[in-house]
Amino acid sequence: MRVMAFSIFKLLLLSFLLCTFLQEPTDALRKTYIVYLGGHSHGPDPSPTDLEIATNTHHELLASVLGSHEKAKEAIMYSYNKHINGLAALLEEEEASDIAEKPNVVSVFLSKEHKLHTTRSWDFLGLEKNGRVSANSAWTKAKFGEDTIIANIDTGVWPEHPSFSDKGYGSVPSKWRGKGVCQIEAFNTTQKYFCNRKLIGARIFMKNREAEDGEIDRKFRSARDFVGHGSHTLSTAGGNSVRGANVEGNGRGIAKGGSPRARLVAYKACWNKLDAGGCHEADLLAAFDHAIYDGVDVISASVGWSNPYKEALLTDGISIGSFHAVTKNIVVVCSAGNDGPSPSSVTNVAPWSFTVAASTMDRDFLSTISLGKKKSFQGASLNRGLPRPKRKFYPIIFSVNAKLRNASVNDARVCKPGTLDPAKVRGRILVCLRSDKLQSVREGEQGKLAGAEAVFVQNDEQSGNLLLAENQVLPAASISGTDTDYLNGTGGSGEMFAYLNAAKTYLGVKPAPIMAGFSSRGPSLVQPLILKPDITAPGVGVIAAFSQAAGPSNLASDTRRTLFNVEQGTSMACPHVAGIAGLLKTYHPTWSPAAIKSAIMTTATTLDNTKKPIRNAFDKVATPFEYGAGHVQPNLAIDPGLVYDLNTTDYLNFLCASGYNQALLKLFGQLKISYKCPESYRIEDLNYPSITVHHPASKPINVTRIVTNVGPPGTYVVNAQGPRGIKVRVIPTSLTFKKTGEKKRFQVILQAIAVPRRLPLFGNLTWTDGKHNVTSPITVL
């Protein structure tokens, strides 16, 4: 009996220990949830007491579920108490579900991790010509965006960079409310304050990041940019004019932003390591709330949810933050994403956001690759060339032929770490397949580690024919898939040899723009009747400011440092449009964000610099699902003639038509408007600058639009180019305006006259008075 009792005791003890060790800590069950409550009742200019009351209501809401105010204060991460009404807290799934049942809660959702989407640009866009700015330039008219405040939500800023110098600037605009907040720490300097009259503020938002990934090292708990992305995007939007900008001697010229005299603010909500990481949603939403409160004019956000299949209007932090910003007359510009060429990959699709795709400009960085016997071709490159001992040619080896015995062919093909045999690679030119549509610096690094003299990175199928010049750690070039025919020795046999010459800068390249293969495409999965992206802008080979804490390849092994760097992505296209929006904000301070968006969209072009339709990286004619309304033209946007305007009520009507009910939207009553869902409202009638409808197979579709005259009195006549098989009628066919600010309504009737072979179909509608051409794309799904 004693033996049996002892055995039972041991069994019970073992069970207890197993339960103790295997039981997951309570904190591990908790995740970051955002509780969205709509708008605040304290108005646009909250006092400290208002903010305290709002936070207390958030504590009370949490306490009602968690059991006490003490537990609520421990769980809460952010109290969005300024303009966005909501909170972020560490909750268990059941607790989050209980809060979602509360009557005043709009939505409860897990905080997601968003991705970051990065001087010739302005010449190509017509703001200057060979360094000279004409009287007709939007720069001249808008005083270079003087005193407009542009905020960047990104990885921070390198404050000492000349792009952010305040030399020649006057006092900070009185509308700026974030005075004295400059959360930047020293870096190899004894300086204590790093903001100035140009870079007027910097804030950090990291609570969600630390809750998910652990505490950030103290030396990095700063709005200082340690990876370069934030400095690059912020300087593109509004950096100073800086002479002598170049990358490895390429692209020499004057670097500047779209609004070079704007005041800038850095909100750091993205805590990337050198080449990985992202932006947590609760931190992003806190950045939006502060930006609205601080009094900015434009927000540039080159970030986005990487899974558009799960994006929703009121369970997405960027969508919610953008909505509240736009209702406070702030233009919000977002990147479309880098998941192209897949269809329906576009992100940031809310109609109040301004979504930007990426395309090329008329500048290339190319190296000539010599193969001997007078054979050669070109690759995209920034390199300074291979050593030239009597112009030595180097043998070529493909990575699949250089793999280690145990490495897989697929891994070796893209030169993954640990797949290459140095004995086979050393002294040769290595050829790898591109593994990432935006960068191939890892392939270059692996080639260097294996002893390669140079690396050629061959485009994969999804990259098309667009070659990206990248700042590699060794001589390298990006080549097209067809170029490997040369390297394989077509027409001959035996080992091939090559030589890589130094890169050169080519200007006036045609055709341009070309839509980048990586740029995300429409239609939107959230609401396909709103065309997204809205516009395209330069996002390939963009030179802008860079951090001094990282090498230009963003690899930990890269010890180089450079003031400027070349980057690509819709991240780089986004701040181009943010800078242009800053110009329009300066020139038209009373215009709404929707009017500014309309001006930029309706003056865009769908033709390249050869006057032919814009094509994509796959040598096909691009569509509005790739470029939206077209390629941005700032000099025309500043004087558009007519605009399609929208206000908060219009957006609420859109939400009603999208299935959000009156009981939910009543919470937006805190926006100081009396609102009730209309009895009937169609998304097709949202006064958007583009028109998208489902195919009118059985009966005609009637769409209504309203234009506002922002130019002199005059008469506009319509010209409609219907999609193939669709008859388009516009009623009336002319609009006469007697004064500025006058509004006119018109109808567009689309009727099928042929059975479509395939969908979608594309056309356009243009109002013209002989000077202004106000164009809207028409898309039939």
Side-chain angles (χ1 to χ4, degrees), residues 503-570:
K504 294 181 180 180
T505 303
Y506 295 83
L507 303 178
V509 173
K510 294 181 179 181
I514 294 171
M515 294 306 304
F518 59 75
S519 188
S520 290
R521 269 70 165 163
S524 161
L525 289 172
V526 176
Q527 182 42 265
L529 293 179
I530 301 297
L531 178 64
K532 290 287 179 171
D534 293 306
I535 201 82
T536 187
V540 177
V542 178
I543 294 178
F546 203 67
S547 169
Q548 297 302 286
S553 68
N554 260 167
L555 295 169
S557 62
D558 191 353
T559 59
R560 298 173 297 166
R561 294 296 181 264
T562 179
L563 272 179
F564 295 90
N565 199 16
V566 167
E567 295 201 13
Q568 27 262 331
T570 57

Side-chain angles (χ1 to χ4, degrees), residues 100-115:
E101 297 299 320
K102 299 291 182 179
N104 291 331
V105 173
V106 176
S107 59
V108 178
F109 53 97
L110 276 170
S111 173
K112 304 178 289 293
E113 186 175 2
H114 290 249
K115 289 183 178 180

Side-chain angles (χ1 to χ4, degrees), residues 627-703:
Y627 54 60
H631 191 254
V632 62
Q633 298 190 107
N635 291 337
L636 297 180
I638 206 164
D639 179 24
L642 306 175
V643 296
Y644 295 86
D645 209 353
L646 288 162
N647 57 34
T648 302
T649 299
D650 295 314
Y651 293 130
L652 294 179
N653 289 342
F654 165 81
L655 288 170
C656 283
S658 298
Y660 296 92
N661 59 38
Q662 177 70 45
L664 190 70
L665 294 180
K666 72 177 183 180
L667 299 172
F668 289 96
Q670 312 296 355
L671 296 170
K672 301 302 180 183
I673 61 172
S674 177
Y675 179 75
K676 183 179 180 181
C677 277
E679 292 184 5
S680 63
Y681 185 85
R682 301 182 313 154
I683 291 171
E684 293 93 330
D685 290 330
L686 181 70
N687 203 39
Y688 213 69
S690 58
I691 297 172
T692 305
V693 299
H694 290 297
H695 192 271
S698 57
K699 59 180 181 179
I701 293 178
N702 191 323
V703 176

